[in-house]
Amino acid sequence: MLQRTSTPPTGPKASRGPRHSSTTRTPARGGIQKRRAGSLRVDQDGDVDMDTIVSSGRGRGGRGRGSQSSQTHNISSRDSIRVKPGRNGLNPSAMQKAIIRGMSSGDAIVRGPKAGLRAAGVLDEAIGRGRGRDRRDGLDQIVVTGLKQSKAASNPDGGIKALVEFLERKATAPNASASEVVRIRKSRHEGDSVIISVKPEDTLKITRLDSYTFAGASLAVQLRASISGHQGNLVEQETSEATVQLKDKMTAMLNRRYNSELKLLDLSSLGSDPELVSLGMFSSNARESKFFPALMKVCDLVFTSPQQKREAVVSVTLANNTLTSVASVTTLSQTFPEIKNLDLSNNQLKDLGAMEAWRWKFRDLDHLILSGNPLETDVPTYQADIVKWYPKLRKLNATQVRSDEDIKAGAKGKLPMHILAPSFRDEASIGETFIKHFFPAYDTDRAAVAHGYYDSQSAFSLSVNTSAPRAQDAMNTKSIPWDAYIKKSRNLTKITNLPARMSRILTGLESIRDVWLTLPSTRHPDLLTEPHKWCIECHSVPGLPDPTGQSPSGVGGLIVMVHGEFSEVDGTSNNITTLRSFDRTFVLGPGGGIGGVRVINDVLVLRAYGGSDAWKPDVDPTLIPQPLVPLGPEGFAVAQPGKSDEQLQKELLALELSRTTGMTLEYSGLCLEQSAWDLEGAAQMFEQAKTNLPPDAWLSV
């Protein structure tokens, strides 16, 4: 909590006469009235309160009818307003508009030590008005349309329960804690729309679901304006004088506390700042809890992009603020998530729990100062935990805790083995030829590719992996939509119903082609000019099913694994719209397709752009011993006219055994022959006889 002073309240409230403090209340009817526990609550607007059950047994110490609800509010850290800084610092005119908007935009919640105090608007409460809401419950109303066009509309309740569950699930982050789960508090039908009520800090999470598909219908999700027309004009007129005063004070404070040379935002000793004290910012718990979120709101509107914030503010100090927890200032991590240096010295942080709200935040933090806090002595091992929380932290209290080499190793990840160059074993260039032709053709004429490589027994499936790691330079970009793919996705961690899993395996040329044509247009990097954006491996696979049924033991083929990226392009303008990463695995076998190749199985996995660093070799490949590769006669283990499937299968088995044991092809063939061409049995026989093998049984270096 920020340091408090004894300054009396100031602002419009302080100047009101006695007539405002002597309001007559109508007493309740006499007698003891019994409340029913678990009864359904409906407000004056007819909305069903979806998560509140009326409690029973309140004594005299309970809240009266006129008491405020115990929730602390602040303004959301994002807004549609864009305010640019002036040449000589912060733009006063833009600041005034931002504050006016903040006074009528509703509330959001900050969870911290003072959670529980209900407020109107952050900036309204900061100047003493306390009437920034047009709804008594402090919830934002959101209009959702599209339910009636969905399949859920036929449900007994009209689909509203399924819609609410869908919105809550999609708006909640996958790794969200119990306190961060999005809940829709009220809902009701209004014409063809559904009106839902949510806490203001959840508003952005819900409204970003605009254009999502629900039960076969596209949803329109829009915030419902709370104050408009004549009411809005009255609010602006009533608050203009107080707004100008607050604007001037906060502008002067921020300009005075910002060091452009050091790129330092000095927020230390806020409780003794003359401008803030004169405004009575710390004269009550309610105002105190709203001040810092309001300050961050102003910063959000001044610096309108992540790049502006990154370039303008590198260091922040919150020293000497008597903070017992960072919960009251947690919005700093939302407004300036990429700061390099953070000073929290000389506060009252007693343990690591006091910093829990910033765990895993500030991913680029380089130097953290915690000296002068009780945790230094109360938690002797706190340094080890802090280092784990911030992967790029080099200094803690001016002491080096991690080297540059450690940071680089941590960014790449610690693996139990070296990252090697791809292994591409394709003696006859069948896999290479396929890859060089497939992807350029897939980008330009998918129907022709399908007819050229797929047949009635080919299988294709698509999976969307939304939890895959993202590239560092893509971490701060907005979430990319998956609407074009999600209906076809066969992600087994999401699709658990067996019929649904089976229905998303497409079999046959026509089915595969038809789905391909519904997917967005793509553009893959050129293999010859941008090979670093690709990772391709190829290996032989024996025993594949023979589509002709002539070879009971199966036929030989290839498995080709491709990792890379592609751009989605607009079909009309041909402009790039989205960059994605992908993993694609082909199982190739002999057939009637282009070059005598058919695709037996094709599995495509899509994910957010992750870059190409994952497959960059971390050692010089020339320094690593390479496995011996057996050399057979030309055409060995390759399908050719006149060669039977049985002979091809035997050659593939001999080649695989030679690679795994180091024996020549001749001895590998003899070993397989003695084990009735059973690869596992031949491997066991090799282990028993390898000490007695002659020198010519081994491949030469």
Side-chain angles (χ1 to χ4, degrees), residues 263 305-316 331-342 360-367 392 472-477:
K263 297 184 177 181
S305 70
Q307 181 179 358
Q308 285 185 345
K309 295 176 182 178
R310 185 167 53 248
E311 294 175 351
V313 180
V314 174
S315 307
V316 174
T331 46
L332 178 70
S333 64
Q334 303 167 19
T335 305
F336 298 106
E338 298 179 82
I339 58 174
K340 304 290 186 182
N341 309 298
L342 177 61
W360 309 117
K361 306 295 184 181
F362 302 118
R363 306 303 288 169
D364 295 320
L365 194 64
D366 181 78
H367 189 185
K392 295 184 180 180
Q472 189 64 33
D473 54 357
M475 292 296 290
N476 295 318
T477 57

Side-chain angles (χ1 to χ4, degrees), residues 195-473:
I195 309 300
I196 62 175
S197 299
V198 299
K199 293 181 179 180
E201 77 271 22
D202 292 335
T203 299
L204 286 173
K205 300 175 184 178
I206 293 288
T207 54
R208 73 175 181 82
L209 303 180
D210 185 41
S211 300
Y212 269 52
T213 301
F214 166 71
S218 179
L219 298 178
V221 184
Q222 302 292 334
L223 178 65
R224 192 179 202 181
S226 57
I227 299 179
S228 60
H230 180 63
Q231 284 183 310
N233 293 333
L234 290 177
V235 170
E236 185 169 339
Q237 292 173 9
E238 183 180 348
T239 62
S240 60
E241 182 179 352
T243 300
V244 171
Q245 178 187 7
L246 180 58
K247 176 262 300 181
D248 292 340
K249 295 291 184 180
M250 296 188 76
T251 301
M253 184 204 71
L254 287 174
N255 271 317
R256 176 170 49 83
R257 287 175 170 266
Y258 177 68
N259 188 321
S260 58
E261 294 182 0
L262 299 177
K263 297 184 177 181
L264 168 67
L265 184 59
D266 183 359
L267 301 179
S268 63
S269 304
L270 292 173
S272 58
D273 187 283
E275 284 83 358
L276 300 178
V277 171
S278 67
L279 286 174
M281 287 295 185
F282 311 112
S283 60
S284 68
N285 289 341
R287 291 185 182 180
E288 180 180 333
S289 65
K290 295 171 181 61
F291 161 69
F292 196 85
L295 186 63
M296 292 297 100
K297 174 67 174 180
V298 173
C299 292
D300 264 332
L301 300 178
V302 171
F303 305 107
T304 58
S305 70
Q307 181 179 358
Q308 285 185 345
K309 295 176 182 178
R310 185 167 53 248
E311 294 175 351
V313 180
V314 174
S315 307
V316 174
T317 175
L318 284 165
N320 302 302
N321 280 307
T322 64
L323 292 168
T324 59
S325 167
V326 300
S328 59
V329 294
T330 187
T331 46
L332 178 70
S333 64
Q334 303 167 19
T335 305
F336 298 106
E338 298 179 82
I339 58 174
K340 304 290 186 182
N341 309 298
L342 177 61
D343 182 6
L344 291 171
S345 62
N346 301 318
N347 282 291
Q348 298 298 321
L349 305 175
K350 296 182 179 180
D351 51 36
L352 290 173
M355 293 188 62
E356 184 68 27
W358 280 348
R359 185 177 184 178
W360 309 117
K361 306 295 184 181
F362 302 118
R363 306 303 288 169
D364 295 320
L365 194 64
D366 181 78
H367 189 185
L368 175 63
I369 301 177
L370 290 171
S371 57
N373 283 280
L375 67 80
E376 277 194 297
T377 55
D378 295 349
V379 188
T381 60
Y382 81 96
Q383 295 184 359
D385 292 308
I386 289 295
V387 170
K388 293 178 182 178
W389 288 6
Y390 305 107
K392 295 184 180 180
L393 190 70
R394 290 191 309 113
K395 291 184 178 182
L396 180 59
N397 298 336
T399 302
Q400 184 166 341
V401 294
R402 186 185 278 124
S403 65
D404 293 338
E405 291 72 19
D406 292 337
I407 294 176
K408 291 179 181 178
K412 200 162 190 177
K414 294 182 179 180
L415 299 176
M417 60 186 69
H418 290 296
I419 301 175
L420 305 181
S423 174
F424 199 89
R425 300 176 179 179
D426 179 29
E427 287 80 6
S429 299
I430 295 175
E432 178 183 352
T433 303
F434 170 79
I435 292 297
K436 287 182 176 179
H437 178 262
F438 180 88
F439 286 100
Y442 181 86
D443 290 340
T444 55
D445 193 346
R446 293 178 184 171
V449 175
H451 284 278
Y453 289 109
Y454 297 74
D455 58 23
S456 60
Q457 299 184 49
S458 298
F460 170 79
S461 64
L462 178 153
S463 176
V464 175
N465 182 4
T466 57
S467 60
R470 303 176 66 178
Q472 189 64 33
D473 54 357

Side-chain angles (χ1 to χ4, degrees), residues 109-181:
I109 290 178
V110 172
R111 304 188 182 277
K114 294 298 179 183
L117 295 176
R118 198 173 198 85
V122 173
L123 296 175
D124 274 347
E125 284 292 322
I127 61 174
R129 285 189 68 258
R131 294 186 298 178
R133 295 191 308 270
D134 66 330
R135 290 183 56 83
R136 296 190 307 171
D137 54 17
L139 301 177
D140 281 350
Q141 289 191 340
I142 297 175
V143 182
V144 182
T145 56
L147 175 61
K148 285 198 172 182
Q149 290 74 38
S150 71
K151 298 176 182 177
S154 59
N155 294 355
D157 65 345
I160 192 167
K161 180 180 179 181
L163 175 65
V164 167
E165 293 175 348
F166 172 82
L167 294 173
E168 290 178 338
R169 184 174 67 254
K170 292 296 183 181
T172 302
N175 57 347
S177 63
S179 62
E180 296 173 331
V181 174

